[in-house]
Amino acid sequence: MAADECNVYLKTNAIGWGMLIPNVSVEMDMCKHCSVTLPIYYSAINYFSSEVKFRTLCFQPEMRYWFAENNNGWFGGAHFGIAWFNYANGGEWRFQDHNRHTPVIGGGLSGGYRLSVSKNQRWFMEFSLGVGIYKLHYDKFHNEPNGQLVETRKRTFFGVDQLAVSFAYRFELKNKKK
């Protein structure tokens, strides 16, 4: 990467789409070995019935360190996450962030690999996996229309919080010299 150019990647995660959660991410190279990415996930749909849903709005900004100077290949990263949710799997219960105003908050570490899949070096595939710890405060309802509140819970989650097989397109931005 030359000093007078900056790469911007527009990405989407195929695993998110497989879960019917539309998503987009923008990543920008900050310098050799470093980039910042901001993925956004949003879904407001029910899956086939009102008793099966995974509605969410999620942001997970991440700072990445690339082991190669061109910011491709292997990377390690640190991320922050915040998400609102309304989840039901067709069973007896539905779970939602507390009072719809208490998002899941936390963060973690990730690693992954990005490789070019086109001759012109514009199209890429990226694989990443992350683990994190999150504070949850959520309500449990009977899974029916206007279901009764059963209880409110607080707990800490530790585990996989990022799994992606992404497709990316690279835009090269060049600084104009005066």
Side-chain angles (χ1 to χ4, degrees), residues 8 11 25 35 40 45 53 61 64 75 80 105 119 123 141 154-155 172 175:
V8 175
K11 307 186 294 186
S25 179
S35 68
I40 301 170
I45 64 169
K53 63 184 85 187
R64 291 179 169 179
F75 69 86
F80 167 77
I105 297 176
K119 288 183 180 182
W123 288 99
F141 298 90
K154 289 183 179 181
R155 69 182 206 112
E172 293 175 353
N175 293 332

Side-chain angles (χ1 to χ4, degrees):
M1 177 172 34
D4 63 342
E5 74 178 51
C6 173
N7 293 318
V8 175
Y9 299 84
L10 185 61
K11 307 186 294 186
T12 193
N13 180 358
I15 293 174
W17 283 101
M19 296 172 58
L20 302 179
I21 302 173
N23 64 87
V24 66
S25 179
V26 175
E27 181 171 357
M28 177 181 265
D29 290 341
M30 303 306 287
C31 61
K32 290 181 182 179
H33 299 288
C34 292
S35 68
V36 174
T37 185
L38 176 61
I40 301 170
Y41 293 81
Y42 176 74
S43 177
I45 64 169
N46 294 335
Y47 298 131
F48 316 111
S49 76
S50 62
E51 289 81 32
V52 180
K53 63 184 85 187
F54 188 38
R55 297 178 178 181
T56 188
L57 173 60
C58 174
F59 303 94
Q60 198 175 48
E62 180 175 47
M63 180 68 140
R64 291 179 169 179
Y65 176 82
W66 295 88
F67 295 100
E69 286 186 9
N70 63 354
N71 294 4
N72 284 315
W74 293 101
F75 69 86
H79 56 269
F80 167 77
I82 184 167
W84 295 261
F85 66 94
N86 184 349
Y87 170 77
N89 66 0
E92 186 176 350
W93 312 113
R94 178 177 64 83
F95 305 91
Q96 182 173 320
D97 50 278
H98 179 64
N99 291 331
R100 297 183 181 174
H101 300 295
T102 310
V104 173
I105 297 176
L109 301 174
S110 66
Y113 189 81
R114 180 164 59 205
L115 70 145
S116 176
V117 293
S118 67
K119 288 183 180 182
N120 66 3
Q121 301 288 304
R122 294 240 184 244
W123 288 99
F124 294 84
M125 262 186 98
E126 184 177 292
F127 306 91
S128 66
L129 175 68
V131 295
I133 188 164
Y134 289 80
K135 176 184 169 190
L136 287 83
H137 186 189
Y138 61 94
D139 297 327
K140 180 179 174 182
F141 298 90
H142 284 285
N143 189 17
E144 57 191 41
N146 299 313
Q148 181 179 358
L149 175 65
V150 176
E151 66 181 317
T152 296
R153 293 182 177 177
K154 289 183 179 181
R155 69 182 206 112
T156 301
F157 166 83
F158 175 76
V160 174
D161 67 340
Q162 184 184 103
L163 181 62
V165 176
S166 298
F167 296 93
Y169 184 82
R170 183 181 71 187
F171 297 90
E172 293 175 353
L173 305 177
K174 298 194 186 240
N175 293 332
K176 294 181 181 180
K177 294 183 180 181
K178 293 184 179 184

